[in-house]
Amino acid sequence: MRGRIGRLFRRAMSRPLFVSQGFASAAGAGSMIFAAAYLDPGEFALFTLIALASTTLVGLVRAALYQPALIEQRRDPTALVPFRYAIIACAGAAAALAGAAAAFGVVDPLLLVLIGVSALFPTLHDWLRFRAIGIDRRWEPAVADGIRLALVLLSPLVLIAAPNAAIYQVFLGLSTALPFLYLRVRLPVLTVFARFADYRRAASLQLTEYVVGQFTSTVPLLVLGVLGSTPLLAGIRLAQTLLGPLNLVFTASTTGLIADGATRTTHAGVGSLVSRGKAVSRRLGFLSIGIVLVLALVVWLSRIDLNGVANTPLLAGLILVGIYTIGSRGATVHAVLMRLLGRHELATVGRTVLVVASLVAFALGYLLGGIDASLIAGFLAAAVVTPLVFSIPGERLYRRLLKEEDDSRLEAEAAAEIDALAQSPTGADEQEPTDGSEGLESDDLEDDPPTGGSAPGRP
């Protein structure tokens, strides 16, 4: 047992991106669990909406700038995001979060300003995390995320002193300030950057996919939350938090896949990259099934009730989110592979089809049975459609690209053989004498210097 734990520890230490994402996921899950434990139901519902908006905006900046730049490094190592781009995007996200908090019901102007200011740091911290990954300094993000986790563990003190959703959101935003400063000190200052115009189209397609993808679950949850909060909605939000370990593995796996595909020569070929991606997809699929079943069983048997959400809505939310997670986690890896292989349009179209299907299900469910029926229909539709729009087109793409790679390799080998034959020596030293000069000794040729290009022994 001790040896197995030791092997697991050594394996984790060899994968700093998993350690980093583990700390980040633990911080996110801890903040939500602390909020459910200490906030009353009304404040908890408000916090879930603000936190969801914050996470969405951080992901928006990541999809618009940080991830496209990292993928572009597969072609250009200088594709890194300069500070001037990052600060503009981060300021926009901060202003948007303050506006969202006002729409959700936060009326205190000072709290709105503090929410906006504190929202700068999560996106700036994310900027330096991707910078560190892009220059292959993968342990620095792990340390920074560990610092943030330590600060989030102080959340009960804040919630006891001020059980207010807006104040808690300000604290969580500021908890990324120290990790940001740590990365700023540790990472080297860079001065050479590729032009954003070189990968603007790829970035726009990734941004489009992300924005469209929010209509799969995030936007419907926000809209339904505005229409009226229900116990099932709170249960779904907490279930998403409890499934944080899966998000940990998914994010770490896909980030590692992108980083290796962009910066490591071992994954420069189509075959090696696709093989790695399929292995990641299989692991995520099996892991999703195991974790969802275990969590559902624990919640059902423990009859756990929290202040912000009761047991039955939590179990129902866990089943819904779990079904969607099982159907989507492994399949979504194929979208990452499509982008690494330069087929951005295919991934964006697949995401669009998924969103249309899920929105139709959300709308029909709401018309037929209200908020709860909308949630059930939307999540089930997304679970069914996701593998259809990513896995099947992905497999067809891989077969075509692998065939092209094999054809190119065979052509290159044939060309190399032709070149080798053309460059092989064909002069006199390989020709057999045909004029009866066999057996001549070297002394017989001393007085016959070669003339022009004639073979030895010829006049």
Side-chain angles (χ1 to χ4, degrees), residues 8-22 138-139 142 248-249 252-253 256 260 276 280 283:
L8 290 174
F9 178 78
R10 287 191 296 272
R11 187 176 182 182
M13 290 301 100
S14 67
R15 298 185 177 185
L17 291 181
F18 274 90
V19 176
S20 174
Q21 194 58 44
R138 302 189 183 188
W139 269 113
L248 179 163
V249 178
S253 298
D260 290 344
R276 165 79 186 281
V280 170
R283 286 198 298 268

Side-chain angles (χ1 to χ4, degrees), residues 61 65-66 81-92 123-124 127:
V61 176
L65 282 177
Y66 309 152
V81 179
F83 176 73
R84 65 182 181 276
Y85 292 164
I87 192 62
I88 292 173
C90 294
T123 45
L124 286 173
W127 165 57

